Amino acid sequence: MPGSPPLTERQEARRRRILHASAQLAGRGGFEAVQMREVAEAAGVALGTLYRYFPSKIHLLVATMQDQLQHLHTTLRKRPPGGATAAERVAETLMRAFRALQREPQLADAMVRALTFADRSVSPEVDTVSRQTTAIILDATGLDDPTPEQLSAVRVIEHTWHSALITWLSGRASIAQVKIDIETVCRLIDLTAPDPEADGRRGRRG
């Protein structure tokens, strides 16, 4: 809840129960299975309380995606990717994220649908998901000080990953195609790396 005071321990525990119930229902029956009344019952909270935390089903599912990404980020930090280049590490990370979603296709579909349907009222939550995805990609690069060009490449990679998810969920792309697309776009990280020789030539001219 952007701009809200920090949650108390009890409120945070309640929020976690709600997100867990949302993920469980979505995992079993997809987007349609996530009904606010059923989420409230599964989480053991009053319906009015649920709406205070999440004003709509879209808010709830986008927050569920942010929560899933947070778990993924924690796992990745414990077991970082091992590629030799930044591009290889990012590609490995995104494919691990993709496989995690692949294990729960109904949940993945529900969360991606919510992101697609989100209007301006859900902008803060969507921005949080975007920042989380960016942080995961930047961590994988291992770059302490990415250039503006590399940050731009990260944004393009993020867009491609999201599009690949949508095309796979709709049955228009195979896992193999997704992997090729991800590996191809991740090369932008290495292609946008500063060229030390060019910098040296500029220095000599100066």
Side-chain angles (χ1 to χ4, degrees):
M1 287 173 285
S4 303
L7 298 178
T8 65
E9 205 171 305
R10 255 183 91 187
Q11 287 171 328
E12 184 56 45
R14 192 179 294 141
R15 185 176 186 274
R16 295 225 59 76
R17 288 204 311 276
I18 292 168
L19 290 172
H20 180 72
S22 166
Q24 291 265 299
L25 287 165
R28 287 201 295 267
F31 185 81
E32 301 305 332
V34 182
Q35 301 298 326
M36 297 297 267
R37 189 172 294 280
E38 288 185 30
V39 172
E41 284 174 12
V45 301
L47 187 58
T49 302
L50 172 58
Y51 277 110
R52 279 202 299 277
Y53 282 81
F54 302 103
S56 74
K57 167 175 165 170
I58 301 297
H59 285 82
L60 173 57
L61 280 168
V62 173
T64 303
M65 183 158 200
Q66 195 270 329
D67 190 53
Q68 295 288 315
L69 287 170
Q70 187 85 52
H71 285 306
L72 175 71
H73 202 175
T74 302
T75 304
L76 287 164
R77 281 180 166 157
K78 288 177 187 164
R79 194 165 61 87
T85 66
E88 287 173 6
R89 290 191 295 273
V90 174
E92 184 190 324
T93 292
L94 291 179
M95 285 312 295
R96 276 166 66 180
F98 190 84
R99 288 189 193 101
L101 292 168
Q102 192 189 352
R103 286 192 288 273
E104 295 258 26
Q106 296 263 53
L107 173 59
D109 184 58
M111 296 187 301
V112 171
R113 271 212 237 180
L115 273 181
T116 308
F117 295 154
D119 60 19
R120 198 171 292 176
S121 73
V122 198
S123 288
E125 289 83 358
V126 172
D127 288 346
T128 303
V129 165
S130 181
R131 280 196 301 275
Q132 188 73 47
T133 310
T134 300
I136 288 169
I137 295 171
L138 281 174
D139 260 16
T141 67
L143 301 170
D144 294 326
D145 189 20
T147 65
E149 290 80 8
Q150 286 173 318
L151 289 173
S152 181
V154 167
R155 284 193 295 274
V156 174
I157 290 166
E158 189 184 329
H159 296 324
T160 304
W161 184 69
H162 186 237
S163 298
L165 261 182
I166 292 171
T167 53
W168 171 71
L169 286 166
S170 62
R172 290 182 287 129
S174 65
I175 304 295
Q177 285 171 304
V178 167
K179 189 171 188 289
I180 290 166
D181 289 353
I182 294 296
E183 288 173 349
T184 302
V185 76
C186 285
R187 289 187 199 125
L188 284 173
I189 289 285
D190 294 340
L191 291 173
T192 51
D195 181 352
E197 288 186 18
D199 289 346
R201 286 195 296 273
R202 277 197 293 273
R204 286 195 293 277
R205 281 202 299 271

